[in-house]
Amino acid sequence: MMPLLISFLAGLSIVIGALIIHMVSSPARIHHLSIALALGALLALLLFDLLPELRESAANIGIVLVLLLVLLGVGILKLLDLFIPDHDDTAATHDHENAVHIGIISSLALILHNLVEGMTVYSLSLTSLREGVIFAFGIALHNIPMGMLIYATMQERRRIVRRGVLAAVTLSTCLGGVLMALVSDALTASRIGALVCIAAGMIIYIVFAELLPHVLRTRPRRLSLLGSVCGFVLVLASCILGG
């Protein structure tokens, strides 16, 4: 029961990020700051968390399969991109429609990524409660800017839609723990590694095709730079604590 509770609390930090956006008095600046934070956070996540896991997966399933699975992750989001409206980042749509599109795409990738992290939290907590808590705290730190991103980009959607997306992303970490408890025998290291590769491809797509173009168009540039650096440092700290 305790491993599942730890997984749930790690995912709950998404709500903390959403509450920060909800309570601020300058939503436009915080909106831009949250996207810059997410850019830095996801870039650090790729470098310090997912890249080592991709190397480990390459040792288990081969570099060619790893590259194909990463490309599959990119391709899945690119395909979904065609069915999600209002996704062109132009001067006319930069602040509204494109932001919503970023929120939807990011939520899909984070759900898969958090499922894998929830499995890891559950497994660590079974063997060492202390290691599970430390890893979960690291996850919580880098989930905060993700919660800010989702809430900020989905603010113009109906409340039930916004809350539903937040709930799905928040509960995905705990769901990963539940899945690990139910089917731990079937989830081999190779299969978990394959999920990590797909999630990494999705995050690569978000960083370079969605967040980076948006941040480069955002003014003032200093705010974008500050947000990106803060997000990068926050996740770097979480990776050090978690690993």
Side-chain angles (χ1 to χ4, degrees):
M1 188 65 182
M2 185 59 70
L4 289 179
L5 178 61
I6 294 171
S7 300
F8 173 73
L9 292 176
L12 200 61
S13 56
I14 291 284
V15 178
I16 295 174
L19 287 174
I20 291 173
I21 296 295
H22 181 70
M23 293 187 297
V24 295
S25 57
S26 179
R29 281 184 172 270
I30 295 297
H31 167 90
H32 294 319
L33 180 63
S34 68
I35 293 179
L37 273 169
L39 173 62
L42 287 180
L43 187 57
L45 190 67
L46 281 171
L47 291 175
F48 303 115
D49 189 4
L50 290 176
L51 186 57
E53 291 190 35
L54 291 178
R55 289 174 179 167
E56 185 178 337
S57 296
N60 292 330
I61 62 178
I63 185 66
V64 174
L65 185 54
V66 165
L67 290 175
L68 288 174
L69 289 169
V70 169
L71 289 175
L72 176 62
V74 173
I76 288 172
L77 284 196
K78 182 60 181 176
L79 183 62
L80 289 172
D81 207 8
L82 301 175
F83 297 97
I84 298 174
D86 303 324
H87 64 281
D88 294 324
D89 191 9
T90 63
T93 66
H94 174 64
D95 289 329
H96 301 288
E97 289 90 346
N98 179 254
V100 174
H101 173 76
I102 288 174
I104 295 171
I105 288 289
S106 298
S107 299
L108 293 172
L110 286 170
I111 287 171
L112 178 57
H113 177 259
N114 287 352
L115 280 172
V116 176
E117 286 194 330
M119 294 175 187
T120 306
V121 170
Y122 183 87
S123 300
L124 282 175
S125 300
L126 282 179
T127 56
S128 170
L129 197 60
R130 176 180 172 276
E131 288 184 9
V133 169
I134 292 173
F135 186 73
F137 183 67
I139 291 172
L141 283 180
H142 72 243
N143 269 346
I144 291 173
M146 299 301 104
M148 294 174 67
L149 169 71
I150 293 168
Y151 191 90
T153 54
M154 300 293 289
Q155 273 183 322
E156 295 187 5
R157 286 300 183 257
R158 289 191 304 170
R159 181 180 298 179
I160 189 171
V161 174
R162 186 170 65 243
R163 288 182 175 178
V165 172
L166 279 170
V169 178
T170 299
L171 294 175
S172 58
T173 305
C174 184
L175 181 58
V178 172
L179 287 174
M180 196 65 179
L182 293 176
V183 295
S184 56
D185 294 336
L187 287 172
T188 63
S190 297
R191 288 173 182 172
I192 293 176
L195 290 176
V196 170
C197 294
I198 295 171
M202 289 179 167
I203 291 175
I204 288 170
Y205 181 87
I206 291 168
V207 168
F208 294 102
E210 300 289 345
L211 294 179
L212 186 59
H214 189 98
V215 168
L216 290 176
R217 286 179 175 270
T218 300
R219 301 292 187 277
R221 288 282 176 86
R222 285 177 296 179
L223 186 64
S224 299
L225 180 61
L226 174 64
S228 299
V229 171
C230 288
F232 190 92
V233 171
L234 184 64
V235 174
L236 175 59
S238 75
C239 291
I240 292 172
L241 286 171

